[in-house]
């Protein structure tokens, strides 16, 4: 049970990564690789501040802010210096590796006795219920550690809140313009929107969310590590793809919900696979293979279907 | 008023693919006038409209619109003054977004976009009314993705979007060329109605001599990046489609004795 709760909690935290990836890859068609660096950046900034006894809320916010800056950097490289989108992300991601090492001062920052958002959530839970540290809850006949339940609940509320905010944002004038930028930049430019500005803003928001995921992950697992971001973009993408398959719709609200559920589901699958004896070293290979299959399967299926009557070519 | 003064544009300068698409073009368009541009393929019609809209900057020359010098304004800033319909029906709308959302974005053309709701009941009922006036039965489908509509429907909506906030200048670049004849007629009728009603200053490119003669109050014929003919007033009033076709023939005949070829012949054989 603890295993499943842990996987669900990590899935919820990484749902913010999935939302960030959804924003860049799907809303903008911008394959933003910055994510691998910005998720670590969020973790590094928050962990370092926590070690220096900054309040967890502030440290988390700073992690988010650092991600915003990283996204802006990628956006500026792409829009102002006309560097290809993939390369812009790779450049910033590579640079962030050094930045992250500088921020942390070493390759790993443990959070042993620091007050974190996770420990604060536990504290609140215990205060409300007048329970001790090792108290257990009995839910539907299962025994659940209180700290685990409190953290899970806190993450659920946070992710639901942020997902809702993102959904509402997409219905504002600015948010609609952002969606249109990915859909048809020529059109939105002709309606007076600076596509460059929107791309920078969108990447800032996307990487802010991703860094926030890193910040929360560091606090949950109790350390920040310079390697923790490797392959994260692909994990986020896998969650988004699972989500899309689940909701099977193009409605924004459903896609956002789908990305969150996809992330949790993906984590649960990973936890179960590892439990069954999957070699952890193979995890990234399998994830990459999964995304590959998900990307090519739709067109492959279309080819396998009986060919439609040849239509006269359109002018 | 739009003033185009000595505008020049060369694509790929200094390479074998160099194209002098606009050569010192000057045109003044009074407020409320409706100018039709015709010309052979590649004569620079779209390039002229793109230079005015700001898709790129002119190499030299200046552009003034509604009393402001817009020569160095980026495209999105010019959009505050300019409404635009493209030749490709896919270019003017965001396909995966709803009809209502597309129009709501047009209702904010050139205005700052903040955190206000893109759609509210008042705007929705207003846009339903305006869509109803198209007589296409689209008013009951405003929450459908615009990408599910036909080219003609999309072009009609794009026209509605370009003119939602009365623009200082309306740019139409062969906006019916990709449509079937029936839809083209419908869109042309709508174009006429909107321009008349709002007295819009308009630059319209067309390849149809019928449209050139029946719409607008002035005809400009372009050739090789220059204005070859400029028909106004009485001369414009008299002109018939055949007259325009004849001018095209003249151009074609002259083309066969292209100046550079003539020069070469002279150099080599005389
Ligand atoms: N973006 C571009 N890059 C290079 N050449 C271009 C570009 N746009 C137009 N041209 C060239 O400029 C000339 C004028 O094109 P255009 O204005 O599109 O003609 P039309 O009168 O048919 O609209 C053509 O020779 C065309 O090939
Ligand atoms: Mg053209």
């Amino acid at each position: 049970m603890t295993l499943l709760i842990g996987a669900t909690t990590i899935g919820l935290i990484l749902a913010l990564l999935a939302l960030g990836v959804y924003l860049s890859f799907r809303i903008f068609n911008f394959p933003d690789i910055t994510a691998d660096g910005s998720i670590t950046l969020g973790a590094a900034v928050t962990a370092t501040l926590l070690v220096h006894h900054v309040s967890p809320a502030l440290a988390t916010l700073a992690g988010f802010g650092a991600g915003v800056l990283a996204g802006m950097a990628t956006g500026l490289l792409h829009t102002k210096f006309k560097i290809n989108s993939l390369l812009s992300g790779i450049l910033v991601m590579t640079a962030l590796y050094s930045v992250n090492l500088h921020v942390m001062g070493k390759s790993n920052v443990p959070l042993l006795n620091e007050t974190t958002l996770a420990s604060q959530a536990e504290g609140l839970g215990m205060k409300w219920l007048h329970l001790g540290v090792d108290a257990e809850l009995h839910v539907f006949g299962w025994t659940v550690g209180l700290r685990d339940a409190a953290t899970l609940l806190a993450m659920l509320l946070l992710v639901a809140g942020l997902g809702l905010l993102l959904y509402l944002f997409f219905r504002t004038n600015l948010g609609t313009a952002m969606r249109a930028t990915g859909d048809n930049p020529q059109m939105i430019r002709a309606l007076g929107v600076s596509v460059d500005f929107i791309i920078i803003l969108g990447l800032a928001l996307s990487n802010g969310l991703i860094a926030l995921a890193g910040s929360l992950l560091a606090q949950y697992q109790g350390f920040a590590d310079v390697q923790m971001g490797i392959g994260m973009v692909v994990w986020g993408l896998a969650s988004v793809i699972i989500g899309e398959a689940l909701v099977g719709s193009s409605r924004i609200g459903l896609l956002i919900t789908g990305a969150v559920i996809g992330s949790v589901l993906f984590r649960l699958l990973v936890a179960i696979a590892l439990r069954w004896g999957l070699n952890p070293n193979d995890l990234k290979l399998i994830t990459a293979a999964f995304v590959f299959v998900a990307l090519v399967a739709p067109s492959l299926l279309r080819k396998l279907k009986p060919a439609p009557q040849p239509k006269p070519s359109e002018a | 008023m739009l003033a185009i003064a000595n505008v020049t544009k060369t694509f790929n300068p200094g390479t074998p693919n160099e194209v002098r698409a606009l050569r010192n073009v000057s045109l003044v368009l009074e407020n409320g006038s409706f100018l039709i541009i015709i010309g052979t393929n590649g004569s620079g019609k779209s390039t002229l409209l793109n230079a005015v809209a700001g898709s790129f900057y002119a190499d030299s020359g200046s552009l003034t619109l509604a009393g402001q010098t817009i020569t160095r304004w980026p495209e999105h800033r010019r959009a505050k003054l300019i409404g635009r319909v493209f030749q490709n029906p896919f270019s003017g709308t965001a396909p995966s977004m709803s009809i209502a959302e597309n129009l709501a974005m047009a209702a904010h053309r050139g205005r700052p976009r903040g955190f206000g709701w893109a759609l509210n009941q008042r705007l929705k009922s207003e846009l339903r009314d305006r869509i109803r006036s198209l007589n296409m039965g689209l008013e009951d489908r405003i929450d459908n993705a615009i990408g599910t509509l036909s080219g003609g429907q999309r072009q009609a909506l794009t026209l509605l979007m370009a003119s939602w906030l009365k623009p200082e200048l309306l740019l139409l670049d062969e906006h019916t060329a990709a449509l079937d004849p029936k839809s083209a007629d419908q869109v042309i009728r709508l174009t006429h109605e909107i321009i008349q009603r709002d007295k819009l200053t308009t630059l319209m490119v067309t390849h149809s001599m019928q449209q050139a003669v029946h719409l607008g109050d002035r005809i400009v014929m372009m050739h090789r990046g220059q204005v070859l003919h400029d028909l106004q007033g009485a001369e414009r009033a008299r002109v018939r489609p055949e007259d325009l076709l004849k001018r095209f023939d003249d151009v074609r005949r002259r083309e066969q004795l292209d100046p550079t070829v003539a020069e070469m012949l002279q150099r080599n054989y005389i």
Side-chain angles (χ1 to χ4, degrees):
Chain A
M1 195 60 209
T2 313
L3 177 78
L4 291 188
I5 289 200
T8 308
T9 308
I10 293 187
L12 284 171
I13 291 173
L14 291 181
L16 299 178
L17 163 73
L19 290 180
V21 168
Y22 168 70
L23 188 62
S24 54
F25 275 67
R26 290 297 196 242
I27 298 279
F28 281 126
N29 294 319
F30 193 113
D32 181 24
I33 311 294
T34 318
D36 278 17
S38 52
I39 193 166
T40 315
L41 180 66
V45 167
T46 300
T48 306
L49 289 177
L50 286 176
V51 169
H52 288 90
H53 307 296
V54 174
S55 84
L58 210 60
T60 306
L61 208 62
F64 171 80
V68 165
L69 292 179
M72 284 172 68
T74 302
L76 283 170
L77 286 186
H78 177 63
T79 58
K80 301 298 171 212
F81 298 98
K82 311 288 175 217
I83 296 176
N84 161 294
S85 52
L86 207 51
L87 190 55
S88 306
I90 292 174
L91 289 179
V92 174
M93 176 195 77
T94 306
L96 281 178
Y97 193 85
S98 298
V99 172
N100 291 334
L101 276 174
H102 274 294
V103 168
M104 296 196 288
K106 50 192 172 184
S107 62
N108 186 300
V109 174
L111 298 169
L112 299 175
N113 302 310
E114 272 71 39
T115 315
T116 65
L117 278 189
S119 65
Q120 282 183 334
E122 285 163 20
L124 272 182
M126 279 181 275
K127 206 159 35 173
W128 287 343
L129 300 168
H130 306 287
L131 294 171
V133 183
D134 296 323
E136 292 175 335
L137 294 175
H138 298 280
V139 189
F140 304 123
W142 277 319
T143 307
V144 179
L146 176 70
R147 355 169 111 232
D148 297 337
T151 318
L152 178 65
L153 192 66
M155 283 310 138
L156 189 62
L157 290 177
L158 185 75
V159 170
L162 287 174
L164 184 67
L165 270 181
L166 194 62
Y167 171 69
L168 293 176
F169 170 69
F170 281 136
R171 306 189 56 171
T172 64
N173 285 313
L174 191 59
T176 346
M178 189 173 283
R179 283 160 58 207
T181 302
D183 216 12
N184 185 348
Q186 183 181 25
M187 167 260 194
I188 198 68
R189 212 179 277 125
L191 292 178
V193 174
S194 162
V195 166
D196 287 0
F197 170 75
I198 295 281
I199 288 180
I200 295 171
L201 184 72
L203 290 181
L205 189 60
S206 160
N207 283 286
L209 283 170
I210 293 168
L212 184 58
S215 161
L216 296 173
L217 190 61
Q219 296 179 68
Y220 178 72
Q221 64 189 12
F223 64 86
D225 188 281
V226 75
Q227 307 272 6
M228 68 191 276
I230 296 174
M232 281 294 185
V233 177
V234 180
W235 289 12
L237 201 53
S239 310
V240 171
I241 291 173
I242 295 177
E244 286 169 343
L246 281 178
V247 300
S249 148
S250 59
R251 299 188 81 99
I252 284 275
L254 285 176
L255 286 173
I256 289 177
T257 315
V260 173
I261 297 175
S263 173
V264 172
L265 214 60
F266 182 63
R267 279 289 118 193
L268 286 172
L269 286 177
V270 167
I272 292 167
L274 289 176
R275 188 64 184 271
W276 278 355
L278 175 77
N279 183 346
N281 291 340
D282 291 336
L283 205 53
K284 286 191 169 49
L285 177 64
I286 288 174
T287 311
F290 167 79
V291 170
F292 168 73
V293 170
L295 290 178
V296 297
S299 60
L300 215 63
L301 284 179
R302 234 176 287 130
K303 272 190 211 144
L304 288 179
K305 271 190 210 157
Q309 291 299 311
K311 266 191 248 168
S313 65
E314 283 168 43
Chain B
M1 196 183 81
L2 169 72
I4 302 170
N6 307 313
V7 166
T8 303
K9 177 72 194 177
T10 304
F11 291 110
N12 313 313
T15 71
N17 297 326
E18 180 175 293
V19 180
R20 293 175 64 195
L22 293 178
R23 312 181 188 207
N24 229 18
V25 173
S26 296
L27 271 178
V28 173
L29 208 59
E30 296 300 335
N31 276 338
S33 74
F34 182 175
L35 170 68
I36 307 272
I37 303 179
I38 56 176
T40 47
N41 274 339
S43 57
K45 308 178 297 290
S46 297
T47 305
L48 183 64
L49 260 61
N50 287 336
V52 170
S55 308
F56 44 72
Y57 292 130
D59 297 336
S60 63
S62 75
L63 294 160
T64 321
L65 178 57
Q68 315 210 51
T69 305
I70 60 169
T71 319
R72 302 306 295 175
W73 286 19
E75 183 175 9
H76 64 89
R77 188 166 169 211
R78 297 188 199 185
K80 195 180 173 65
L81 307 174
I82 298 176
R84 203 171 176 196
V85 183
F86 304 90
Q87 174 170 353
N88 185 344
F90 298 155
S91 298
T93 46
S96 74
M97 300 174 74
S98 70
I99 297 179
E101 283 174 324
N102 271 278
L103 279 132
M105 286 187 278
H108 269 80
R109 178 170 53 78
R111 296 183 177 171
R113 286 161 209 259
F115 293 102
W117 298 128
L119 282 167
N120 53 44
Q121 283 313 316
R122 199 175 47 77
L123 182 60
K124 264 194 165 182
S125 80
E126 188 189 348
L127 62 88
R128 211 177 264 117
D129 286 344
R130 291 220 209 172
I131 293 174
R132 190 172 291 117
S133 71
L134 298 179
N135 286 321
M136 288 179 156
L138 295 175
E139 58 275 11
D140 304 320
R141 297 167 61 185
I142 63 168
D143 291 320
N144 291 16
I146 216 164
T148 61
L149 305 185
S150 73
Q153 290 170 325
R154 285 175 77 167
Q155 238 19 6
L157 287 170
T158 308
L159 198 56
L160 200 60
M161 287 166 63
S163 60
W164 189 280
L165 301 173
K166 192 178 171 234
E168 293 291 336
L169 177 69
L170 181 63
L171 297 179
L172 309 170
D173 189 356
E174 302 205 36
H175 65 307
T176 61
L179 308 179
D180 61 89
K182 193 164 153 273
S183 312
D185 276 353
Q186 208 171 10
V187 170
I188 282 298
R189 225 174 304 126
L190 182 68
T191 307
H192 185 67
E193 261 170 43
I194 289 177
I195 292 174
Q196 289 278 309
R197 187 192 62 210
D198 293 343
K199 301 187 175 50
L200 297 178
T201 313
T202 306
L203 262 182
M204 169 171 155
V205 175
T206 182
H207 61 275
S208 151
M209 297 307 120
Q210 295 295 335
Q211 289 178 9
V213 169
H214 292 121
L215 295 167
D217 48 34
R218 179 175 166 194
I219 300 175
V220 157
M221 184 166 163
M222 288 188 70
H223 184 60
R224 293 170 162 267
Q226 286 175 316
V227 173
L228 193 62
H229 300 295
D230 186 350
L231 308 179
Q232 310 189 47
E235 197 181 7
R236 158 71 184 87
R238 261 187 278 119
V239 84
R240 292 166 304 150
E242 304 85 76
D243 304 330
L244 295 177
L245 287 173
K246 191 177 158 299
R247 289 183 193 242
F248 272 98
D249 281 341
D250 289 346
V251 164
R252 245 169 247 132
R253 211 169 304 127
R254 213 178 319 163
E255 194 80 321
Q256 282 161 6
L257 211 72
D258 176 292
T260 52
V261 176
E263 199 183 311
M264 187 193 76
L265 289 174
Q266 211 158 23
R267 245 199 342 260
N268 292 349
Y269 298 105
I270 299 176

